[in-house]
Amino acid sequence: MIRSDPKVRAFHARLLATPCCAALVDHDRLAAALASPVGIVFVLRADGLELRPLVTSVHAAGKLVAVHLDLIDGVRPDRAGVRWLGHAGADAVISSHGQLMPAIRHEGMVAIHRLLLVRRGLLDAALAATSRSGADIVEVLPGVILPEVRALMPSLDVPLLAGGFIRNEAQARAALGAGAVGVTTSAENLWAVDLR
Amino acid sequence: MRLLTPILVASNGHEVIVPPPGLESGVLLRDLDLMALIAAAGTASTTLAVDLDSVEGLNADAAAARFLAVELGVDVVITRRPAVASRVAALGRTALLHVFAFDSTGLARSLEGHPREPGIGTVLSPGPVLDHLPPAEVERLPRPLVAYGFVETAEQAWSLLRCVDSVVVRPGCALDMARDGTPGWYALDKGGRGD
């Protein structure tokens, strides 16, 4: 179920319109991401203490920005770190720390919880953690194997994203076919592909 | 010391593992506590591997490495800690550094810590990712290479054995692999191993 918050609705609508999201792993690719048709830029690597210019340029290009709290430099993945990202203008925050999802929502951002697929024996605990966290969206990693493991997962009541090792159109379409509403990828060749 | 087998049947030490007939297999003990580990290790008659980080009551340190390798005679130790892997290798056992392949960046970072020393291979989770990586990328992973996690079907397991040295499977999957029979390519590529 999608939360009725306008920001969450807008984020979800953007995913439906442009299911391919740019995963930014270095600043050099920002220009390519901004010039591409993607609707959402996921910032995985950046100086978290100097985010505002980046966020401003993404917004100026008419795109939304999601920031990975656990991977950016300089910002600790805690409540104060979440507040900082809200202050920097992020539309969404991604984290593997489920306990931070309420704080992300409280700051008016979309909360994206990473679900890491390690092995089947750990899946139930990971699913329970995502269920408890109250995330708006769950990002499954590595997304490239979502089609192979989807049958092992119950249906979740929030939208799914797939990220990780999605490098070609067939893999992206397979992830969408397995139930993801969008894919995040650093493969620039996919940013221009219309996956709807 | 027994060698790493192409099939490792995952066990929590509480079930009776029926080896897949006609296939070389060992046992991977994981998700159990220290007392259960000691009991299960005492009955092992094939290659015995242990996922150190999943054993309750056992710290992932040099003392644990010695205990597994020397006291319990464990052949293969899986650990996330490079220093522990080095210690296991120094004791003459096969160490496998557990690396996680959630995305390209994370995998690269995970491999940065790999000791890349003789006797230290790689366990990659989740296993099916390997089927999606280009051969050149797989070749860069230190050997021996083991696929661990979400290898659910015999078909997946055989497919992965084209590019890895071993797969971790559940008991039912191992029996399915035996029932399906060794693929022709495998017998040729691996010099008949597994026949």
Side-chain angles (χ1 to χ4, degrees):
Chain A
M1 192 177 69
I2 300 160
R3 190 155 58 101
S4 59
D5 183 289
K7 201 140 194 178
V8 176
R9 296 241 170 226
F11 199 90
H12 187 248
R14 189 67 68 95
L15 277 174
L16 293 176
T18 52
C20 187
C21 306
L24 208 61
V25 291
D26 61 64
H27 196 269
D28 293 345
R29 303 217 233 159
L30 176 61
L34 296 185
S36 76
V38 300
I40 306 172
V41 175
F42 279 68
V43 179
L44 304 190
R45 291 294 165 89
D47 182 343
L49 301 174
E50 300 289 345
L51 269 181
R52 190 176 281 277
L54 190 157
V55 170
T56 301
S57 62
V58 175
H59 284 161
K63 304 176 192 305
L64 301 176
V65 58
V67 179
H68 199 309
L69 177 59
D70 309 344
L71 296 182
I72 56 167
D73 295 328
V75 179
R76 184 181 291 177
D78 59 16
R79 287 174 181 274
V82 168
R83 279 199 301 277
W84 173 263
L85 295 188
H87 179 72
D91 300 293
V93 173
I94 317 150
S95 177
S96 301
H97 300 283
Q99 73 276 16
L100 292 179
M101 297 299 127
I104 295 167
R105 291 167 59 151
H106 180 75
E107 292 297 325
M109 297 177 285
V110 178
I112 304 176
H113 193 179
R114 277 194 153 187
L115 172 65
L116 304 177
L117 300 174
V118 181
R119 57 186 170 92
R120 191 173 171 184
L122 304 178
L123 182 61
D124 284 347
L127 286 167
T130 49
S131 175
R132 274 197 312 270
S133 74
D136 296 309
I137 293 173
V138 169
E139 185 185 25
V140 177
L141 287 103
V144 74
I145 70 164
L146 180 61
E148 290 152 90
V149 302
R150 191 64 183 92
L152 302 173
M153 298 167 57
S155 60
L156 302 177
D157 58 0
V158 294
L160 278 186
L161 275 172
F165 295 107
I166 293 175
R167 294 168 169 174
N168 61 48
E169 186 173 342
Q171 290 167 337
R173 290 196 183 280
L176 296 175
V181 293
V183 296
T184 61
T185 177
S186 59
E188 282 184 41
N189 57 309
L190 284 180
W191 294 351
V193 176
D194 186 351
L195 294 172
R196 284 173 297 175
Chain B
M1 187 186 75
R2 292 159 294 202
L3 298 174
L4 177 66
T5 50
I7 298 166
L8 288 171
V9 183
S11 169
N12 61 10
H14 296 297
E15 67 267 77
V16 176
I17 298 296
V18 179
L23 300 177
E24 274 186 87
S25 69
V27 172
L28 168 67
L29 295 174
R30 50 96 177 95
D31 300 336
L32 72 179
D33 64 32
L34 181 53
M35 298 306 288
L37 170 66
I38 293 168
T43 62
S45 57
T46 60
T47 294
L48 178 63
V50 171
D51 180 351
L52 171 56
D53 303 306
S54 76
V55 180
E56 287 180 37
L58 197 54
N59 206 10
D61 58 17
R66 191 203 62 80
F67 181 75
L68 291 177
V70 179
E71 301 298 330
L72 298 188
V74 171
D75 305 292
V76 180
V77 176
I78 297 171
T79 176
R80 288 192 297 263
R81 296 169 188 260
V84 175
S86 294
R87 181 71 184 135
V88 169
L91 291 165
R93 304 292 168 164
T94 299
L96 298 170
L97 189 74
H98 201 170
V99 302
F100 298 96
F102 300 127
D103 57 25
S104 308
T105 313
L107 176 59
R109 185 187 270 189
S110 195
L111 283 170
E112 281 172 11
H114 201 296
R116 295 183 183 270
E117 296 165 4
I120 306 179
T122 307
V123 162
L124 188 135
S125 294
V129 163
L130 286 155
D131 260 343
H132 298 279
L133 298 181
E137 216 165 321
V138 177
E139 282 166 19
R140 283 198 291 272
L141 298 168
R143 296 275 175 160
L145 176 60
V146 179
Y148 181 21
F150 288 112
V151 184
E152 299 291 324
T153 66
E155 186 183 6
Q156 267 183 321
W158 285 121
S159 173
L160 284 163
L161 280 168
R162 284 180 179 274
C163 67
V164 304
D165 301 290
S166 182
V167 289
V168 178
V169 295
R170 288 170 174 252
C173 180
L175 293 176
D176 288 345
M177 292 176 78
R179 194 187 57 225
D180 291 356
T182 309
W185 66 263
Y186 183 78
L188 290 172
D189 285 3
K190 311 283 181 180
R193 193 176 71 178
D195 279 344

